[in-house]
Amino acid sequence: MTGPLPDPFADQPDWAPRPPRPLSIVPATDRVELRGRRVLVGLPGLGWRGDLRADDRVVQGARTYVPVIPEHEWYRAEADQVEVFAPLMPVERVWVETLGDRPVPDGTRETGIRLVSLDGPAHRAPTPVFEADAVTGRRVVHVEGSVEHRDLRAVTETYSGAEGDICVRITPEVEWYRWAWRGQPPTTLEVPVHLLWIE
């Protein structure tokens, strides 16, 4: 027998969960629901700002606007039932994060520099946590079987868990932000890294 043996775990091993669906960025001018959705704002050719949430469209005169709230303020408003200031952004300057379709696996992984168009915001495909250099504070997706748990944040870097797995502790985003505005430590869940992706 000559040559190397084939890798039985190449591509998508049976024991590894499938990655979550990637995010797709669509203009808010499309007929998509906005209330509570993650949005990005900006101008083509200039740049984009994220970590924002939207409220329902507002029409003033002949113009349509989107109330845009920093994500931590949106969570505070929802959790404590308080009103927060929401600047109105012209609808054509707002893009909405939606769930895209799961790509067909072709065995290739995107590496290195990726060029994008400046006509609209772009988003990378989910990255396995074990490939990330740092995860604390990042948005993560926890995949259990075929269920995707989103709106989570990593609260630790990778560490060796009690069972010997490499793990990260995660928390719901509302608790992540509550930790900032009240100083109340979040409840966390220890999750093996092979079940987590950076969104």
Side-chain angles (χ1 to χ4, degrees):
M1 186 166 165
T2 61
L5 293 173
D7 181 359
F9 299 110
D11 298 327
Q12 186 64 38
D14 291 338
W15 56 266
R18 289 180 10 164
R21 291 170 290 167
L23 292 176
S24 178
I25 313 296
V26 299
T29 53
D30 289 359
R31 299 314 296 165
V32 294
E33 279 295 316
L34 289 179
R35 174 139 175 61
R37 299 292 291 276
R38 280 198 174 100
V39 295
L40 297 108
V41 298
L43 291 169
L46 179 65
W48 319 104
R49 180 168 189 265
D51 291 328
L52 303 167
R53 296 278 182 153
D55 206 341
D56 291 325
R57 293 169 184 83
V58 173
V59 177
Q60 291 182 349
R63 303 260 345 240
T64 302
Y65 297 93
V66 177
V68 175
I69 308 162
E71 196 164 56
H72 67 279
E73 287 289 296
W74 182 83
Y75 274 111
R76 189 170 66 86
E78 292 295 309
D80 292 347
Q81 294 297 298
V82 297
E83 291 195 23
V84 296
F85 177 72
L88 297 178
M89 298 293 293
V91 70
E92 62 273 6
R93 293 187 185 179
V94 179
W95 283 260
V96 184
E97 289 186 6
T98 61
L99 288 177
D101 295 326
R102 184 171 272 119
V104 177
D106 61 1
T108 62
R109 286 254 328 149
E110 186 178 302
T111 60
I113 295 176
R114 178 180 74 122
L115 299 177
V116 298
S117 167
L118 294 180
D119 293 338
H123 201 283
R124 290 190 182 277
T127 302
V129 162
F130 60 82
E131 291 181 13
D133 56 349
V135 295
T136 301
R138 306 276 302 268
R139 289 169 37 187
V140 293
V141 180
H142 176 201
V143 177
E144 287 184 294
S146 62
V147 179
E148 299 172 5
H149 302 282
R150 293 180 181 264
D151 294 333
L152 302 168
R153 294 280 178 155
V155 295
T156 68
E157 294 299 326
T158 54
Y159 65 92
S160 181
E163 302 291 321
D165 289 330
I166 298 173
C167 298
V168 170
R169 293 197 81 79
I170 62 172
T171 191
E173 263 189 343
V174 67
E175 293 196 32
W176 169 258
Y177 286 116
R178 188 178 290 129
W179 195 9
W181 81 73
R182 284 193 191 152
Q184 178 181 339
T187 56
T188 62
L189 176 66
E190 181 179 84
V191 179
V193 292
H194 68 276
L195 300 177
L196 291 173
W197 277 262
I198 292 176
E199 193 168 47

